[in-house]
Amino acid sequence: MKKDKLNNEVEESLHDDLFAKKMDRRAFLEGTTKVAGAALGLTLLGSLTSLPVKAASSSSVMHSNGNNPDLVFPVISDTHIQRQSDDFLNKFITTLDQLNTVAPKQDAFVVVGDLTDLGLVAEYDKFMSAYNVRKQSHAVSMFAIGNHDYWNGLSAVDAQKRFLEKTGMESIYYHKIVNGYHFIVLYTEDGNTPGTFSVKQIEWLGEQLKLANDDDPKKPIFVFHHQPIKGTIYGSEWGFDQNRDLFYNTLAEYPQVISFSGHTHYPLDDPKIIMQKDFTAIGTSTGAYMWLDSGRIQGEIPEGASNLNQALIVEVYNNKVIIKRRDIHNNDWTGEPFEISYPANKHNFKYTEDRDKKAPFFTNDAMLSIVNEKTTVTGLTIMFTQAKDNLLVHDYKVVAKNVETNEVAREFLAFSEFYKDPVPNPLTLQFDELKPNTMYEVEVKAIDAFGNVSNDSLKVLGKTLDGVVPDVSIRLSKNVLNGITDTVEVTVENARMPKSDWVGLYEINDTPGPIAAIWWMYTSVTNGTCKFTYDPKNNSYPGRYKVGSTYKMIYFYGGGYDAVASATFTVGSSI
């Protein structure tokens, strides 16, 4: 549902001292919890020999003295600059300023797609205006086009031409050499969300890899493409299928390849954001808003997702590559840097998919409790000490059993909220869909980023309140709006804790699914209520929002089109 929507549119304490403790995210990540060419039909602008920025070295020796890197470059992606809001623009400006502070001598600057939200002229102008006054004069700019950069109503070729005109890139795909190191920038060939990489482009990639390898087989080769290769890094379930194996196998011939991709908006904190098998692949997170794995109770866009803003800084030395993860939003580093020693030697790969077999565990003083003040007719709230792990506790599996029948009444996954600053400890989780006046045994197990499940668990008994289960309803502050710019307050009563639940706006006779929502958002629920202001300026399809028409606001369960409640309003003439 996440990608479908995008493609259619553009605490009470256990005791005071425990509850007061919050976990620094870096400590959490370290396991130190203490307590509880325009469509390839366009001509590539010049051959490889005319594109290099600096001459390639014919020597396999990288020119650092062991202290100073030969090459430094930041990598960011998915800035999603918007026409109607400056929120992401301001985050982008913060990113540029902070990267200039922590990396004052950059040799290149790379953006791996989705510079804009819809590929509009105003969005490109915002992006370039912010970038041009902050870019380091000696840093080589390299931008890749992403699927969102096509969502402007133009043909693919014309969207590519706009990208080139606005960004100043000499080609839609290209191969540059900076300080003797090869950079190969690819392009997704249309606005298809999973990504399109044709055989022709992949063949061109193979040719460029051979040239880079012939120049120096020991040096890393940096490759950039917006969508990830499916089956590689954290989040690559959103990668591409078409020509996937050909693309992968082309890179696999060269273990010194370090492949950077964007698109997923998955945070850099998860250790699987980097993966090594036949080459190195790494994700680049986002400068706009966070997505997460589906199937967790907090939802794919959990509370605080809009705070996330991350970047990579790559430092290349004579025998290694250091990739540092930067929390722009926290003005700090997150996790330990990734170190790739002798990149061309696969025997040195350490970020492999089987690198972690250690299960997380709860300490002896870990506690689990029911937060009685938040118990409802159909729900319980639990609070517990976070588990420990050598790398990262990613999830918790929570099972609620009916004590009388011993049947499982509710089973779900929940994020450890590793993506927050600070990581909450203890962690509080609220869940519903239980029966009134019923006793449940709640069991919690920890799961790390590699799927290892804790051998131990925490258990507690809790009973729901007696009463009647209320119906879900939507209430609007008014039923007639004053013109197409007027706003309306929306309240969803008796909403469940979100599992990718969302609200969408449709014309009265629209069928959700086959027809895209004019506007939509994921729900955020507090004590069974979701409140928000609907503002038409945020419509994805403003042309369908007209005076005199009637619209329906629909609340959906899950990531599909299971409609639970709705309310209608009419857009009247402005006075």
Side-chain angles (χ1 to χ4, degrees), residues 130-399:
Y131 180 74
N132 286 333
V133 298
R134 291 168 177 83
K135 76 175 294 291
Q136 297 184 17
S137 59
H138 52 283
V140 181
S141 301
M142 285 177 266
F143 305 152
I145 192 170
N147 56 295
H148 273 258
D149 300 316
Y150 285 93
W151 293 358
N152 45 28
L154 301 175
S155 68
V157 170
D158 286 339
Q160 293 164 9
K161 288 179 179 178
R162 176 177 289 179
F163 174 86
L164 295 176
E165 291 169 357
K166 288 298 181 179
T167 64
M169 297 295 103
E170 60 262 62
S171 177
I172 204 72
Y173 61 106
Y174 45 91
H175 179 172
K176 289 181 180 290
I177 302 175
V178 182
N179 290 11
Y181 293 88
H182 292 258
F183 290 69
I184 301 172
V185 179
L186 305 175
Y187 77 111
T188 186
E189 300 179 25
D190 51 39
N192 183 31
T193 296
T196 301
F197 298 91
S198 66
V199 171
K200 187 173 182 180
Q201 182 178 186
I202 298 171
E203 289 175 345
W204 177 85
L205 168 63
E207 295 167 357
Q208 307 313 306
L209 290 170
K210 184 178 185 303
L211 289 171
N213 184 73
D214 290 346
D215 180 38
D216 191 325
K218 294 183 180 180
K219 284 185 176 180
I221 304 171
F222 303 108
V223 178
F224 306 88
H225 46 97
H226 182 62
Q227 289 91 345
I229 305 169
K230 185 166 283 191
T232 54
I233 60 170
Y234 177 51
S236 62
E237 64 268 26
W238 299 112
F240 57 93
D241 281 317
Q242 182 182 2
N243 299 324
R244 182 267 180 203
D245 291 348
L246 177 62
F247 192 110
Y248 181 95
N249 293 335
T250 299
L251 295 180
E253 293 185 36
Y254 305 95
Q256 69 269 41
V257 162
I258 302 177
S259 161
F260 298 82
S261 62
H263 187 58
T264 70
H265 294 223
Y266 279 31
L268 300 175
D269 313 280
D270 191 294
K272 296 199 307 299
I273 201 70
I274 188 172
M275 194 64 69
Q276 293 179 308
K277 185 177 181 182
D278 298 297
F279 55 92
T280 302
I282 185 169
T284 55
S285 189
T286 176
Y289 51 90
M290 175 176 63
W291 288 112
L292 283 169
D293 330 32
S294 62
R296 277 65 172 181
I297 197 170
Q298 293 96 333
E300 294 174 342
I301 304 183
E303 181 184 4
S306 61
N307 295 330
L308 190 81
N309 185 6
Q310 295 183 314
L312 297 174
I313 296 179
V314 183
E315 298 178 353
V316 185
Y317 297 83
N318 67 335
N319 58 2
K320 64 184 176 182
V321 177
I322 303 295
I323 303 177
K324 299 177 178 179
R325 295 172 281 174
R326 187 74 183 176
D327 268 350
I328 302 298
H329 61 275
N330 202 36
N331 195 20
D332 200 0
W333 307 105
T334 182
E336 291 299 314
F338 298 126
E339 181 174 329
I340 305 169
S341 298
Y342 298 95
N345 188 345
K346 288 173 61 174
H347 297 296
N348 288 327
F349 284 1
K350 60 183 178 179
Y351 303 110
T352 57
E353 60 184 357
D354 60 350
R355 64 185 183 263
D356 181 22
K357 300 296 186 181
K358 295 181 180 179
F361 63 94
F362 292 98
T363 58
N364 291 334
D365 57 356
M367 292 175 280
L368 169 63
S369 176
I370 299 291
V371 183
N372 294 318
E373 292 77 5
K374 295 186 178 182
T375 298
T376 67
V377 173
T378 60
L380 296 172
T381 298
I382 58 175
M383 182 167 60
F384 58 92
T385 312
Q386 292 248 25
K388 294 180 64 175
D389 187 71
N390 60 316
L391 290 177
L392 176 75
V393 178
H394 192 279
D395 300 309
Y396 292 96
K397 180 180 179 181
V398 180
V399 178

Side-chain angles (χ1 to χ4, degrees), residues 376-379 402 407 409 433-438 440 464-465 469:
T376 67
V377 173
T378 60
N402 185 312
E407 294 178 348
E433 300 183 49
L434 303 176
K435 293 181 179 180
N437 195 31
T438 303
Y440 294 92
T464 54
L465 300 179
V469 180

